[in-house]
PDB file of all heavy atoms in Angstrom:
ATOM      1  N   THR A   1     -29.253   2.430   4.643  1.00 71.00           N
ATOM      2  CA  THR A   1     -28.202   2.487   5.656  1.00 71.00           C
ATOM      3  C   THR A   1     -26.901   2.887   4.984  1.00 71.00           C
ATOM      4  O   THR A   1     -26.404   2.191   4.112  1.00 71.00           O
ATOM      5  CB  THR A   1     -28.026   1.110   6.335  1.00 71.00           C
ATOM      6  OG1 THR A   1     -29.284   0.688   6.873  1.00 71.00           O
ATOM      7  CG2 THR A   1     -27.000   1.202   7.458  1.00 71.00           C
ATOM      8  N   MET A   2     -26.378   4.052   5.403  1.00 65.00           N
ATOM      9  CA  MET A   2     -25.115   4.505   4.831  1.00 65.00           C
ATOM     10  C   MET A   2     -23.962   3.687   5.416  1.00 65.00           C
ATOM     11  O   MET A   2     -23.861   3.504   6.623  1.00 65.00           O
ATOM     12  CB  MET A   2     -24.891   5.983   5.145  1.00 65.00           C
ATOM     13  CG  MET A   2     -25.865   6.922   4.434  1.00 65.00           C
ATOM     14  SD  MET A   2     -25.754   6.837   2.633  1.00 65.00           S
ATOM     15  CE  MET A   2     -24.118   7.478   2.347  1.00 65.00           C
ATOM     16  N   ASN A   3     -23.085   3.215   4.560  1.00 63.00           N
ATOM     17  CA  ASN A   3     -21.911   2.452   4.963  1.00 63.00           C
ATOM     18  C   ASN A   3     -20.690   3.308   4.677  1.00 63.00           C
ATOM     19  O   ASN A   3     -20.212   3.383   3.550  1.00 63.00           O
ATOM     20  CB  ASN A   3     -21.841   1.130   4.189  1.00 63.00           C
ATOM     21  CG  ASN A   3     -20.708   0.253   4.649  1.00 63.00           C
ATOM     22  OD1 ASN A   3     -19.707   0.737   5.179  1.00 63.00           O
ATOM     23  ND2 ASN A   3     -20.855  -1.050   4.459  1.00 63.00           N
ATOM     24  N   GLU A   4     -20.172   3.983   5.707  1.00 67.00           N
ATOM     25  CA  GLU A   4     -19.069   4.915   5.485  1.00 67.00           C
ATOM     26  C   GLU A   4     -17.814   4.198   5.032  1.00 67.00           C
ATOM     27  O   GLU A   4     -17.035   4.731   4.235  1.00 67.00           O
ATOM     28  CB  GLU A   4     -18.778   5.719   6.759  1.00 67.00           C
ATOM     29  CG  GLU A   4     -17.732   6.791   6.553  1.00 67.00           C
ATOM     30  CD  GLU A   4     -17.611   7.751   7.716  1.00 67.00           C
ATOM     31  OE1 GLU A   4     -18.612   7.971   8.427  1.00 67.00           O
ATOM     32  OE2 GLU A   4     -16.501   8.265   7.912  1.00 67.00           O
ATOM     33  N   ASP A   5     -17.602   2.974   5.501  1.00 68.00           N
ATOM     34  CA  ASP A   5     -16.413   2.240   5.086  1.00 68.00           C
ATOM     35  C   ASP A   5     -16.392   2.046   3.570  1.00 68.00           C
ATOM     36  O   ASP A   5     -15.374   2.221   2.909  1.00 68.00           O
ATOM     37  CB  ASP A   5     -16.345   0.885   5.788  1.00 68.00           C
ATOM     38  CG  ASP A   5     -15.931   1.010   7.243  1.00 68.00           C
ATOM     39  OD1 ASP A   5     -15.400   2.071   7.612  1.00 68.00           O
ATOM     40  OD2 ASP A   5     -16.137   0.041   7.991  1.00 68.00           O
ATOM     41  N   THR A   6     -17.551   1.650   3.036  1.00 75.00           N
ATOM     42  CA  THR A   6     -17.649   1.448   1.595  1.00 75.00           C
ATOM     43  C   THR A   6     -17.458   2.755   0.855  1.00 75.00           C
ATOM     44  O   THR A   6     -16.775   2.825  -0.178  1.00 75.00           O
ATOM     45  CB  THR A   6     -19.010   0.836   1.231  1.00 75.00           C
ATOM     46  OG1 THR A   6     -19.143  -0.423   1.903  1.00 75.00           O
ATOM     47  CG2 THR A   6     -19.132   0.620  -0.271  1.00 75.00           C
ATOM     48  N   LEU A   7     -18.051   3.830   1.383  1.00 80.00           N
ATOM     49  CA  LEU A   7     -17.925   5.136   0.745  1.00 80.00           C
ATOM     50  C   LEU A   7     -16.480   5.591   0.702  1.00 80.00           C
ATOM     51  O   LEU A   7     -15.983   6.050  -0.335  1.00 80.00           O
ATOM     52  CB  LEU A   7     -18.792   6.163   1.486  1.00 80.00           C
ATOM     53  CG  LEU A   7     -18.757   7.589   0.949  1.00 80.00           C
ATOM     54  CD1 LEU A   7     -19.224   7.634  -0.497  1.00 80.00           C
ATOM     55  CD2 LEU A   7     -19.619   8.502   1.815  1.00 80.00           C
ATOM     56  N   VAL A   8     -15.767   5.465   1.831  1.00 87.00           N
ATOM     57  CA  VAL A   8     -14.368   5.874   1.873  1.00 87.00           C
ATOM     58  C   VAL A   8     -13.553   5.059   0.879  1.00 87.00           C
ATOM     59  O   VAL A   8     -12.707   5.595   0.157  1.00 87.00           O
ATOM     60  CB  VAL A   8     -13.810   5.740   3.301  1.00 87.00           C
ATOM     61  CG1 VAL A   8     -12.282   5.876   3.302  1.00 87.00           C
ATOM     62  CG2 VAL A   8     -14.431   6.767   4.228  1.00 87.00           C
ATOM     63  N   ALA A   9     -13.786   3.753   0.839  1.00 87.00           N
ATOM     64  CA  ALA A   9     -13.044   2.883  -0.081  1.00 87.00           C
ATOM     65  C   ALA A   9     -13.299   3.269  -1.533  1.00 87.00           C
ATOM     66  O   ALA A   9     -12.373   3.312  -2.354  1.00 87.00           O
ATOM     67  CB  ALA A   9     -13.423   1.419   0.164  1.00 87.00           C
ATOM     68  N   ASP A  10     -14.560   3.587  -1.850  1.00 86.00           N
ATOM     69  CA  ASP A  10     -14.898   3.962  -3.225  1.00 86.00           C
ATOM     70  C   ASP A  10     -14.244   5.290  -3.595  1.00 86.00           C
ATOM     71  O   ASP A  10     -13.729   5.458  -4.710  1.00 86.00           O
ATOM     72  CB  ASP A  10     -16.416   4.061  -3.383  1.00 86.00           C
ATOM     73  CG  ASP A  10     -17.103   2.711  -3.347  1.00 86.00           C
ATOM     74  OD1 ASP A  10     -16.394   1.685  -3.492  1.00 86.00           O
ATOM     75  OD2 ASP A  10     -18.334   2.671  -3.170  1.00 86.00           O
ATOM     76  N   ILE A  11     -14.274   6.255  -2.673  1.00 90.00           N
ATOM     77  CA  ILE A  11     -13.657   7.558  -2.945  1.00 90.00           C
ATOM     78  C   ILE A  11     -12.156   7.412  -3.111  1.00 90.00           C
ATOM     79  O   ILE A  11     -11.552   7.981  -4.027  1.00 90.00           O
ATOM     80  CB  ILE A  11     -13.999   8.564  -1.822  1.00 90.00           C
ATOM     81  CG1 ILE A  11     -15.480   8.931  -1.889  1.00 90.00           C
ATOM     82  CG2 ILE A  11     -13.147   9.817  -1.939  1.00 90.00           C
ATOM     83  CD1 ILE A  11     -15.950   9.756  -0.713  1.00 90.00           C
ATOM     84  N   ALA A  12     -11.531   6.640  -2.238  1.00 92.00           N
ATOM     85  CA  ALA A  12     -10.086   6.431  -2.331  1.00 92.00           C
ATOM     86  C   ALA A  12      -9.706   5.803  -3.666  1.00 92.00           C
ATOM     87  O   ALA A  12      -8.722   6.213  -4.301  1.00 92.00           O
ATOM     88  CB  ALA A  12      -9.608   5.572  -1.175  1.00 92.00           C
ATOM     89  N   ALA A  13     -10.478   4.821  -4.086  1.00 92.00           N
ATOM     90  CA  ALA A  13     -10.187   4.155  -5.363  1.00 92.00           C
ATOM     91  C   ALA A  13     -10.361   5.125  -6.530  1.00 92.00           C
ATOM     92  O   ALA A  13      -9.553   5.142  -7.474  1.00 92.00           O
ATOM     93  CB  ALA A  13     -11.104   2.948  -5.541  1.00 92.00           C
ATOM     94  N   GLU A  14     -11.401   5.948  -6.449  1.00 92.00           N
ATOM     95  CA  GLU A  14     -11.691   6.898  -7.531  1.00 92.00           C
ATOM     96  C   GLU A  14     -10.605   7.967  -7.634  1.00 92.00           C
ATOM     97  O   GLU A  14     -10.064   8.244  -8.712  1.00 92.00           O
ATOM     98  CB  GLU A  14     -13.053   7.538  -7.284  1.00 92.00           C
ATOM     99  CG  GLU A  14     -13.521   8.490  -8.369  1.00 92.00           C
ATOM    100  CD  GLU A  14     -14.127   7.777  -9.563  1.00 92.00           C
ATOM    101  OE1 GLU A  14     -14.378   6.555  -9.483  1.00 92.00           O
ATOM    102  OE2 GLU A  14     -14.320   8.444 -10.599  1.00 92.00           O
ATOM    103  N   VAL A  15     -10.267   8.573  -6.499  1.00 95.00           N
ATOM    104  CA  VAL A  15      -9.297   9.682  -6.502  1.00 95.00           C
ATOM    105  C   VAL A  15      -7.897   9.179  -6.786  1.00 95.00           C
ATOM    106  O   VAL A  15      -7.077   9.876  -7.400  1.00 95.00           O
ATOM    107  CB  VAL A  15      -9.353  10.456  -5.170  1.00 95.00           C
ATOM    108  CG1 VAL A  15      -8.306  11.567  -5.128  1.00 95.00           C
ATOM    109  CG2 VAL A  15     -10.740  11.061  -4.965  1.00 95.00           C
ATOM    110  N   SER A  16      -7.591   7.946  -6.358  1.00 94.00           N
ATOM    111  CA  SER A  16      -6.241   7.402  -6.545  1.00 94.00           C
ATOM    112  C   SER A  16      -5.822   7.336  -7.995  1.00 94.00           C
ATOM    113  O   SER A  16      -4.629   7.306  -8.312  1.00 94.00           O
ATOM    114  CB  SER A  16      -6.135   6.015  -5.903  1.00 94.00           C
ATOM    115  OG  SER A  16      -6.017   6.117  -4.500  1.00 94.00           O
ATOM    116  N   GLU A  17      -6.790   7.301  -8.914  1.00 95.00           N
ATOM    117  CA  GLU A  17      -6.454   7.332 -10.337  1.00 95.00           C
ATOM    118  C   GLU A  17      -5.721   8.614 -10.708  1.00 95.00           C
ATOM    119  O   GLU A  17      -4.996   8.659 -11.708  1.00 95.00           O
ATOM    120  CB  GLU A  17      -7.716   7.192 -11.185  1.00 95.00           C
ATOM    121  CG  GLU A  17      -8.457   5.885 -11.011  1.00 95.00           C
ATOM    122  CD  GLU A  17      -9.741   5.848 -11.831  1.00 95.00           C
ATOM    123  OE1 GLU A  17      -9.770   6.509 -12.899  1.00 95.00           O
ATOM    124  OE2 GLU A  17     -10.700   5.180 -11.420  1.00 95.00           O
ATOM    125  N   SER A  18      -5.913   9.665  -9.890  1.00 97.00           N
ATOM    126  CA  SER A  18      -5.321  10.980 -10.189  1.00 97.00           C
ATOM    127  C   SER A  18      -4.176  11.326  -9.247  1.00 97.00           C
ATOM    128  O   SER A  18      -3.669  12.448  -9.286  1.00 97.00           O
ATOM    129  CB  SER A  18      -6.406  12.058 -10.088  1.00 97.00           C
ATOM    130  OG  SER A  18      -7.522  11.744 -10.885  1.00 97.00           O
ATOM    131  N   VAL A  19      -3.763  10.389  -8.399  1.00 97.00           N
ATOM    132  CA  VAL A  19      -2.696  10.639  -7.431  1.00 97.00           C
ATOM    133  C   VAL A  19      -1.434   9.888  -7.862  1.00 97.00           C
ATOM    134  O   VAL A  19      -1.504   8.720  -8.240  1.00 97.00           O
ATOM    135  CB  VAL A  19      -3.113  10.188  -6.013  1.00 97.00           C
ATOM    136  CG1 VAL A  19      -1.987  10.428  -5.006  1.00 97.00           C
ATOM    137  CG2 VAL A  19      -4.370  10.944  -5.570  1.00 97.00           C
ATOM    138  N   VAL A  20      -0.300  10.576  -7.797  1.00 96.00           N
ATOM    139  CA  VAL A  20       0.960   9.954  -8.241  1.00 96.00           C
ATOM    140  C   VAL A  20       2.035  10.099  -7.170  1.00 96.00           C
ATOM    141  O   VAL A  20       1.983  11.000  -6.335  1.00 96.00           O
ATOM    142  CB  VAL A  20       1.475  10.626  -9.543  1.00 96.00           C
ATOM    143  CG1 VAL A  20       0.474  10.462 -10.659  1.00 96.00           C
ATOM    144  CG2 VAL A  20       1.802  12.109  -9.312  1.00 96.00           C
ATOM    145  N   ALA A  21       2.976   9.191  -7.195  1.00 95.00           N
ATOM    146  CA  ALA A  21       4.217   9.372  -6.440  1.00 95.00           C
ATOM    147  C   ALA A  21       5.167  10.197  -7.290  1.00 95.00           C
ATOM    148  O   ALA A  21       5.225  10.036  -8.512  1.00 95.00           O
ATOM    149  CB  ALA A  21       4.835   8.023  -6.095  1.00 95.00           C
ATOM    150  N   VAL A  22       5.896  11.098  -6.638  1.00 95.00           N
ATOM    151  CA  VAL A  22       6.866  11.953  -7.332  1.00 95.00           C
ATOM    152  C   VAL A  22       8.249  11.615  -6.759  1.00 95.00           C
ATOM    153  O   VAL A  22       8.470  11.746  -5.554  1.00 95.00           O
ATOM    154  CB  VAL A  22       6.560  13.441  -7.118  1.00 95.00           C
ATOM    155  CG1 VAL A  22       7.595  14.306  -7.830  1.00 95.00           C
ATOM    156  CG2 VAL A  22       5.151  13.780  -7.600  1.00 95.00           C
ATOM    157  N   VAL A  23       9.175  11.176  -7.610  1.00 94.00           N
ATOM    158  CA  VAL A  23      10.472  10.733  -7.124  1.00 94.00           C
ATOM    159  C   VAL A  23      11.574  11.311  -7.993  1.00 94.00           C
ATOM    160  O   VAL A  23      11.388  11.556  -9.199  1.00 94.00           O
ATOM    161  CB  VAL A  23      10.561   9.185  -7.091  1.00 94.00           C
ATOM    162  CG1 VAL A  23      10.374   8.610  -8.470  1.00 94.00           C
ATOM    163  CG2 VAL A  23      11.865   8.707  -6.463  1.00 94.00           C
ATOM    164  N   GLY A  24      12.726  11.586  -7.394  1.00 92.00           N
ATOM    165  CA  GLY A  24      13.854  12.106  -8.162  1.00 92.00           C
ATOM    166  C   GLY A  24      15.134  12.021  -7.357  1.00 92.00           C
ATOM    167  O   GLY A  24      15.147  11.627  -6.191  1.00 92.00           O
ATOM    168  N   ASN A  25      16.239  12.378  -7.999  1.00 89.00           N
ATOM    169  CA  ASN A  25      17.541  12.412  -7.338  1.00 89.00           C
ATOM    170  C   ASN A  25      17.750  13.758  -6.680  1.00 89.00           C
ATOM    171  O   ASN A  25      17.387  14.800  -7.239  1.00 89.00           O
ATOM    172  CB  ASN A  25      18.672  12.224  -8.355  1.00 89.00           C
ATOM    173  CG  ASN A  25      18.596  10.904  -9.077  1.00 89.00           C
ATOM    174  OD1 ASN A  25      18.537  10.889 -10.294  1.00 89.00           O
ATOM    175  ND2 ASN A  25      18.599   9.808  -8.341  1.00 89.00           N
ATOM    176  N   TYR A  26      18.349  13.744  -5.507  1.00 85.00           N
ATOM    177  CA  TYR A  26      18.821  15.010  -4.958  1.00 85.00           C
ATOM    178  C   TYR A  26      19.816  15.630  -5.927  1.00 85.00           C
ATOM    179  O   TYR A  26      20.637  14.923  -6.521  1.00 85.00           O
ATOM    180  CB  TYR A  26      19.498  14.800  -3.600  1.00 85.00           C
ATOM    181  CG  TYR A  26      18.526  14.523  -2.475  1.00 85.00           C
ATOM    182  CD1 TYR A  26      18.519  13.286  -1.833  1.00 85.00           C
ATOM    183  CD2 TYR A  26      17.635  15.493  -2.064  1.00 85.00           C
ATOM    184  CE1 TYR A  26      17.630  13.031  -0.803  1.00 85.00           C
ATOM    185  CE2 TYR A  26      16.745  15.253  -1.036  1.00 85.00           C
ATOM    186  CZ  TYR A  26      16.742  14.027  -0.406  1.00 85.00           C
ATOM    187  OH  TYR A  26      15.863  13.789   0.610  1.00 85.00           O
ATOM    188  N   LYS A  27      19.710  16.938  -6.124  1.00 82.00           N
ATOM    189  CA  LYS A  27      20.598  17.614  -7.057  1.00 82.00           C
ATOM    190  C   LYS A  27      22.052  17.401  -6.641  1.00 82.00           C
ATOM    191  O   LYS A  27      22.406  17.524  -5.479  1.00 82.00           O
ATOM    192  CB  LYS A  27      20.270  19.097  -7.116  1.00 82.00           C
ATOM    193  CG  LYS A  27      18.929  19.376  -7.793  1.00 82.00           C
ATOM    194  CD  LYS A  27      18.602  20.840  -7.829  1.00 82.00           C
ATOM    195  CE  LYS A  27      17.255  21.053  -8.517  1.00 82.00           C
ATOM    196  NZ  LYS A  27      16.854  22.493  -8.535  1.00 82.00           N
ATOM    197  N   GLY A  28      22.861  17.054  -7.634  1.00 72.00           N
ATOM    198  CA  GLY A  28      24.257  16.775  -7.351  1.00 72.00           C
ATOM    199  C   GLY A  28      24.552  15.304  -7.210  1.00 72.00           C
ATOM    200  O   GLY A  28      25.708  14.882  -7.210  1.00 72.00           O
TER     201      GLY A  28
END
């Protein structure tokens, strides 16, 4: 029985290792 909820959670956890927030000051 495929459990899509578990699959989505596992993929999100795996890919999140490679996802970053990008933050900075507006120029000036």
Side-chain angles (χ1 to χ4, degrees):
T1 305
M2 292 299 294
N3 184 335
E4 185 170 332
D5 285 343
T6 300
L7 179 60
V8 168
D10 289 345
I11 290 172
E14 183 80 11
V15 177
S16 283
E17 297 177 30
S18 307
V19 179
V20 299
V22 179
V23 61
N25 299 123
Y26 286 114
K27 290 179 180 178

